[in-house]
Amino acid sequence: MDGKLFLVPTPIGNLEDMTFRAIRILKECDLILAEDTRTSAPMLKHFGIDKKVFSHHQHNEHKATSEIIKFLNEGQKIALISDAGTPAISDPGFFLVREAIKNDIAVECLPGATAFVPALVNSGLPADAFCFEGFLPVKKGRQTKFKKLAEEERTIILYESPHRLLKTLEEFAQYLGADRQASVSRELTKMFEETVRGTLVEIKSHFENNTLKGEFVICIAGKIATKNKNKYNDVDED
């Protein structure tokens, strides 16, 4: 019997976003790999999923992968979940998927929750072409990244933590221009979900005077969208 690796998205906040298929796969698999077993335990219990759960995170994924590949080669069905959202999107998963493919093991990724998709669609910015940057470098390479993104023509999407949000917005205003249109979403799908739209300076001002809690998704208009907006404004003024 052939083994198989399943990548199973889990809710980013609202448990109603769990799919029927995801619940079935988690109940049918032989074991579950979780980014943090303590975080996943309440969710698994809520859906009546009683399986062996092992930790699989950025600090042990390289060491643990060879053992997981061995289990998969023995015919086991293994599901990988992250703390929230889709595995491998700014979370562990890429290395295991790559090794499974190298070993001719079947990999199946279920569709489901991912924070940047609703943030992008809800931003009002062009969604036909975009680049997802995940988390920016904290120190080394940060300035270089901002200079590169200043030339990006597509909508830019990234994640940011509460304690770095204001600094990041300030730096984007510096490199991309204070009047660049953007959108910042926090606590997506949760009770205190909030999306703030406007220029980078306007959004920064809002969060200087309001709650800095939760996980943040920043969407910023690309260079070409800004050019087009200015062109249309010129036509309107004439």
Side-chain angles (χ1 to χ4, degrees):
M1 188 175 180
D2 295 331
K4 194 171 190 178
L5 174 65
F6 293 91
L7 307 178
V8 183
T10 54
I12 59 175
N14 193 325
L15 290 177
E16 292 180 359
D17 293 333
M18 190 73 163
T19 68
F20 292 117
R21 183 178 169 205
I23 296 171
R24 176 179 62 80
I25 293 296
L26 291 176
K27 286 184 175 181
E28 292 178 354
C29 67
D30 296 298
L31 63 92
I32 298 171
L33 303 174
E35 185 179 0
D36 188 329
T37 56
R38 296 165 300 180
T39 301
S40 300
M43 184 272 296
L44 295 173
K45 182 179 180 181
H46 177 83
F47 292 111
I49 299 165
D50 184 17
K51 288 288 177 178
K52 291 182 289 186
V53 182
F54 296 95
S55 294
H56 187 78
H57 46 74
Q58 62 177 340
H59 302 296
N60 76 349
E61 62 176 336
H62 286 73
K63 183 178 179 181
T65 292
S66 59
E67 189 72 11
I68 296 166
I69 295 298
K70 176 186 173 185
F71 291 152
L72 289 164
N73 278 325
E74 291 172 353
Q76 294 199 39
K77 311 293 185 189
I78 298 177
L80 173 65
I81 61 175
S82 64
D83 286 347
T86 300
I89 303 295
S90 291
D91 283 321
F94 159 72
F95 184 74
L96 177 58
V97 170
R98 185 180 68 181
E99 294 305 302
I101 293 170
K102 283 182 181 178
N103 285 271
D104 294 321
I105 295 166
V107 179
E108 185 173 331
C109 182
L110 280 63
T114 302
F116 79 80
V117 174
L120 169 63
V121 175
N122 198 29
S123 71
L125 299 173
D128 56 333
F130 58 88
C131 66
F132 174 66
E133 291 292 326
F135 287 95
L136 293 175
V138 177
K139 293 181 181 178
K140 187 178 180 181
R142 188 174 175 89
Q143 187 178 31
T144 301
K145 177 64 73 173
F146 278 112
K147 289 179 179 178
K148 182 179 178 181
L149 291 176
E151 300 302 315
E152 177 58 61
E153 297 186 341
R154 299 166 295 177
T155 299
I156 303 161
I157 312 167
L158 61 141
Y159 293 156
E160 192 51 280
S161 62
H163 67 276
R164 279 198 299 266
L165 178 69
L166 296 178
K167 177 186 175 184
T168 297
L169 290 173
E170 182 178 347
E171 289 173 302
F172 267 118
Q174 176 187 344
Y175 286 95
L176 277 63
D179 61 346
R180 183 71 67 94
Q181 290 293 310
S183 169
V184 173
S185 298
R186 71 177 189 92
E187 295 289 83
L188 286 166
T189 79
K190 300 176 184 177
M191 183 180 295
F192 299 106
E193 177 177 334
E194 177 184 24
T195 294
V196 181
R197 306 173 186 86
T199 66
L200 288 165
V201 167
E202 289 169 343
I203 295 172
K204 179 175 180 288
S205 176
H206 170 84
F207 284 110
E208 282 174 336
N209 300 290
N210 288 277
T211 303
L212 276 173
K213 259 187 172 182
E215 297 180 354
F216 290 81
V217 185
I218 304 173
C219 299
I220 304 173
K223 190 174 182 180
I224 195 163
T226 303
K227 283 182 178 178
N228 289 339
K229 180 179 182 294
N230 291 337
K231 179 181 72 174
Y232 298 143
N233 285 345
D234 291 342
V235 171
D236 290 341
E237 288 170 5
D238 290 339

